[in-house]
Amino acid sequence: MCGIHLYWGKGANKAAIQSLMGESAYRGPDQEEAISPWPGMWVGANRLKILHPGPEADQPFWSSDGKTLLVWNGEIYNHKTLRSLLEKMGIEFSTNCDTEVLIHWIRIFGIKGLEKLEGMFALIFIDLNDNSILVARDPNGEKPLYYSQNQDRLIISSVASGIAKLSEMKLDKKQIENYCFLRFPTPGKTFFKGVKEWKPSRYSHIQQHSTFRWDNIPIAKSKAQEFTKKEFKNILSQAVATQFQADVPVGIMLSGGMDSSLLYATWYEQSGTPLPAYTIQVEKKYIKKYADGDAAIALIERIPAEHRLIHVDQQVFWDNWEAYLMSLDFPIGDSAGFLTWLIGKEAKKEVKVLISGAGADELWGGYSRHGAFDFYLKNQNVLMMLQPWLNYLPLGRKTQKFLNSLENNPTKTFLNFTALNPISDDLASDYDRVFNPKLSTYKRALDFDRQVYLVQDVLKIHDQALMAHSLEGRAPYLSGSMLAFWNEIQDESLLKGKVWIKELLIEADLEMVTKRGKFGFGLPLEEWFAEGGAFSKRVFNRLELFEKSYGEYIPSPIREVVQNPTSAAKSHFLILFNIFLLAEWVELRKL
């Protein structure tokens, strides 16, 4: 992992690039450097050393002829395969790092070479032969990249706040609506006016005086002939074998749930080597409901690990809250972010790479909303007929949310399932283009989660929370081979309830993991609000202040909750925490 930066055009100087690098120093504390390839352009990098930690692999990385250079962030997992091909072409290497492989690969194959990369990346490749740059981001959006552009200059950085600070940009209040419903800014936007997100799978080849344009990196097709559990296992095993390897210590975030348990079981079967494993443990009175700690303990009784329980309660939360907020490039309204950050704080004492199960739920139908959507599709007419009558019954919070989300339009219904509160038609229309009409209705919903929720929430949290502690996060379920395999599956039954993950766990004599009910990774917010006291008081006070300043930008159904937090806390605690997080971040950043 690294931080990468470019400033091209008016205002480009060493001080400007150093300002960007300073804002992302935590992303690469092992080495940093800034250079000017030609007048009017500066590039810089903050390096976190994972492969080939020696200085020969430092960035910016120059080709041996001095005609091209590269700054990039990520890992190329198939770099050995690519290197072997390059060596057969006569290329000589001076390091064992993937950086040197990547610069030669792009130098020779250019844009076409991007689709052969197996890994996660955000990169800036500079060619002095024609004074051009190639900018690209991996198809899954695992590594962040942001930019700001006008007629005079282009700024690119791994950190949105760095660009905003350099240009004195303010809060984009228009993003509050999207955040209120979906917990993140509109895809392609940030909370800073004028700072945009470089979208996943996009590249642009930019020459001096050329027009900036987007293109798409093609996703390779699966070589699999049959869509079987055996093939799924082979692909996952290869991803584990590749991504659990590094020149620095590796650990795993182990929730005791199916996804991380299967990853670790696969690793241990391959290697017989126990790894540091980190699990959140809530206070004793909530353990029955938030059972990650106990579930992980049960797992390591069967599969040895160097297990670390990380305790969290309200005192731990407040002791670390400000530091967590300060680490956020911009907020994602998901309390999993704080817990991931807390794991990172402990894990950095022992490791530099952390594995997670990110992506499994999105691809293989693991969320409760996927089951609810499947039920809706099978019973749409009956549900729509009964909906007005069912709303009169005294129903639980989750059932009531399900009923409130139902509409005749399946796309809008799924968006409602995903959101904290049913969204407006105007906001829903902004996402229409994301839903791929070539897919079945159910797989279309999974693909939306892959393109939007995974990128904007799960992976953003993964990157921000771990990089705050200079840790590289990896997600084997998102390997290029796995994504290509998933793309070609037509049988919807294989995409519901993580069927293959369950079956492989049972085969590994870990059936007890599959019987654990699905429960989201997050703080015990419902219980903390129910207790009242200092937690509720601080949250409610901040919400009151935020509503006075920004209430006009909060959608009316959400604003009503914010204005009446005491009565809303039992059923809308997620909304309250979501807005509280944004309010605290805005206050701390002085926006």
Side-chain angles (χ1 to χ4, degrees):
M1 300 295 185
C2 302
I4 62 172
H5 320 277
L6 175 143
Y7 198 132
W8 191 5
K10 185 177 181 180
N13 54 48
K14 189 172 185 179
I17 203 72
Q18 286 180 332
S19 175
L20 292 170
M21 292 166 62
E23 194 72 10
S24 71
Y26 61 90
R27 297 191 65 90
D30 299 330
Q31 177 258 331
E32 66 176 29
E33 185 178 354
I35 60 173
S36 177
W38 62 72
M41 175 188 280
W42 279 84
V43 294
N46 312 90
R47 185 185 175 205
L48 178 66
K49 298 183 178 182
I50 302 297
L51 292 179
H52 196 107
E56 303 85 2
D58 284 350
Q59 296 188 40
F61 191 94
W62 287 92
S63 59
S64 56
D65 62 4
K67 295 296 181 65
T68 58
L69 68 92
L70 174 71
V71 291
W72 78 294
N73 170 28
E75 299 286 345
I76 304 301
Y77 299 125
N78 65 335
H79 69 96
K80 291 182 180 179
T81 301
L82 302 183
R83 178 186 179 117
S84 178
L85 176 60
L86 290 169
E87 286 175 333
K88 291 177 181 178
M89 297 173 65
I91 303 298
E92 296 183 356
F93 290 85
S94 59
T95 75
N96 293 317
C97 71
D98 49 357
T99 300
E100 188 175 12
V101 173
L102 186 56
I103 194 171
H104 283 301
W105 188 260
I106 296 176
R107 181 177 61 83
I108 293 171
F109 296 105
I111 291 169
K112 290 293 185 181
L114 294 175
E115 63 184 281
K116 300 296 184 182
L117 300 180
E118 170 81 37
M120 52 182 182
F121 58 85
L123 63 84
I124 302 172
F125 174 85
I126 298 176
D127 190 337
L128 276 68
N129 291 295
D130 59 359
N131 282 14
S132 69
I133 64 173
L134 172 64
V135 186
R137 190 179 180 205
D138 70 75
N140 286 320
E142 291 188 64
K143 298 297 100 199
L145 199 63
Y146 305 96
Y147 71 99
S148 176
Q149 181 193 28
N150 61 33
Q151 61 184 6
D152 296 320
R153 56 105 179 104
L154 172 66
I155 305 174
I156 302 173
S157 178
S158 297
V159 180
S161 60
I163 301 175
K165 182 179 179 180
L166 190 64
S167 305
E168 297 184 350
M169 293 172 176
K170 300 301 182 182
L171 179 72
D172 184 355
K173 301 181 184 70
K174 292 181 180 179
Q175 297 310 312
I176 292 177
E177 179 188 12
N178 201 89
Y179 177 89
C180 284
F181 287 112
L182 293 166
R183 305 194 286 198
F184 44 75
T186 305
K189 304 286 187 179
T190 72
F191 271 116
F192 303 104
K193 285 184 178 179
V195 181
K196 298 181 180 179
E197 181 180 27
W198 201 282
K199 293 184 179 180
S201 82
R202 296 294 178 86
Y203 70 84
S204 188
H205 185 246
I206 310 168
Q207 291 182 294
Q208 207 155 16
H209 310 300
S210 71
T211 301
F212 182 77
R213 77 174 195 277
W214 292 117
D215 295 283
N216 289 303
I217 301 172
I219 297 175
K221 291 188 176 181
S222 171
K223 296 179 181 178
Q225 299 299 311
E226 296 182 9
F227 299 101
T228 63
K229 178 178 60 179
K230 181 180 178 181
E231 187 63 28
F232 173 83
K233 181 179 181 180
N234 289 339
I235 293 171
L236 185 63
S237 295
Q238 182 57 48
V240 167
T242 303
Q243 296 194 32
F244 275 65
Q245 299 291 338
D247 293 337
V248 294
V250 177
I252 185 169
M253 292 191 286
L254 193 65
S255 69
M258 289 195 290
D259 308 332
S260 59
S261 295
L262 181 58
L263 290 178
Y264 190 64
T266 303
W267 161 256
Y268 194 79
E269 181 184 17
Q270 292 176 353
S271 68
T273 303
L275 293 178
Y278 305 90
T279 309
I280 290 294
Q281 178 77 295
V282 299
E283 49 201 302
K284 188 175 181 179
K285 56 186 173 181
Y286 303 139
I287 282 178
K288 186 176 181 180
K289 181 177 178 181
Y290 301 86
D292 281 9
D294 287 352
I297 290 170
L299 178 70
I300 65 168
E301 288 177 354
R302 302 193 182 194
I303 305 175
E306 300 169 16
H307 196 213
R308 315 284 187 255
L309 283 174
I310 301 168
H311 293 271
V312 62
D313 56 24
Q314 288 190 39
Q315 186 63 52
V316 171
F317 176 78
W318 291 124
D319 286 347
N320 290 277
W321 181 238
E322 185 170 326
Y324 167 66
L325 288 173
M326 286 302 298
S327 76
L328 298 179
D329 195 18
F330 55 84
I332 306 300
D334 187 337
S335 67
F338 176 81
L339 294 180
T340 306
W341 183 92
L342 205 61
I343 289 174
K345 182 181 179 181
E346 180 66 24
K348 73 174 182 180
K349 301 173 185 176
E350 301 177 282
V351 304
K352 291 190 76 172
V353 175
L354 266 181
I355 307 293
S356 86
D361 282 315
E362 289 79 9
L363 295 180
W364 304 104
Y367 290 126
S368 299
R369 63 177 173 269
H370 298 148
F373 190 57
D374 184 41
F375 180 78
Y376 158 82
L377 292 176
K378 292 175 179 177
N379 302 279
Q380 181 177 353
N381 292 335
V382 174
L383 286 169
M384 295 310 302
M385 181 179 66
L386 294 177
Q387 183 188 30
W389 304 99
L390 293 174
N391 278 324
Y392 287 106
L393 298 178
L395 303 171
R397 178 179 64 85
K398 292 183 178 179
T399 304
Q400 193 63 61
K401 183 180 187 300
F402 173 82
L403 292 174
N404 291 341
S405 299
L406 299 181
E407 303 211 15
N408 279 314
N409 182 340
T411 297
K412 176 73 181 305
T413 296
F414 185 74
L415 284 170
N416 288 340
F417 285 165
T418 304
L420 293 173
N421 212 64
I423 67 176
S424 68
D425 290 338
D426 286 343
L427 185 58
S429 67
D430 293 340
Y431 287 95
D432 282 344
R433 59 184 171 75
V434 179
F435 289 87
N436 186 346
K438 296 180 180 179
L439 301 177
S440 69
T441 306
Y442 177 78
K443 190 172 183 180
R444 198 179 303 161
L446 296 186
D447 189 58
F448 171 87
D449 270 352
R450 180 190 67 82
Q451 292 190 67
V452 178
Y453 181 75
L454 176 66
V455 175
Q456 301 300 121
D457 188 308
V458 177
L459 292 178
K460 192 100 39 208
I461 282 173
H462 201 227
D463 181 80
Q464 285 196 144
L466 296 183
M467 285 307 304
H469 303 291
S470 304
L471 294 173
E472 175 176 291
R474 296 182 181 178
Y477 286 106
L478 294 176
S479 73
S481 298
M482 183 66 80
L483 184 58
F485 179 67
W486 179 87
N487 269 328
E488 295 187 30
I489 292 178
Q490 303 297 320
D491 184 351
E492 287 186 357
S493 67
L494 303 177
L495 303 173
K496 296 176 182 179
K498 298 190 285 195
V499 58
W500 281 332
I501 294 175
K502 286 181 180 178
E503 291 178 5
L504 290 177
L505 285 166
I506 293 171
E507 290 178 6
D509 197 27
L510 294 172
E511 185 175 3
M512 47 89 173
V513 178
T514 69
K515 293 182 177 180
R516 182 187 173 198
K518 176 69 176 176
F519 196 85
F521 182 52
L523 291 164
L525 297 172
E526 183 177 9
E527 290 74 17
W528 286 1
F529 277 118
E531 288 180 4
F535 180 83
S536 294
K537 183 178 180 180
R538 175 163 174 180
V539 172
F540 295 168
N541 286 343
R542 175 58 67 200
L543 292 176
E544 181 181 1
L545 294 172
F546 187 75
E547 194 277 333
K548 288 180 179 178
S549 298
Y550 298 96
E552 64 183 292
Y553 300 98
I554 302 175
S556 56
I558 304 294
R559 189 176 187 182
E560 184 177 342
V561 172
V562 173
Q563 289 174 330
N564 301 280
T566 303
S567 59
K570 185 175 181 179
S571 56
H572 297 295
F573 54 89
L574 292 177
I575 291 176
L576 295 178
F577 181 80
N578 183 42
I579 307 301
F580 170 69
L581 172 57
L582 175 61
E584 291 271 281
W585 180 81
V586 168
E587 173 65 21
L588 202 60
R589 289 279 184 170
K590 304 300 180 185
L591 294 174

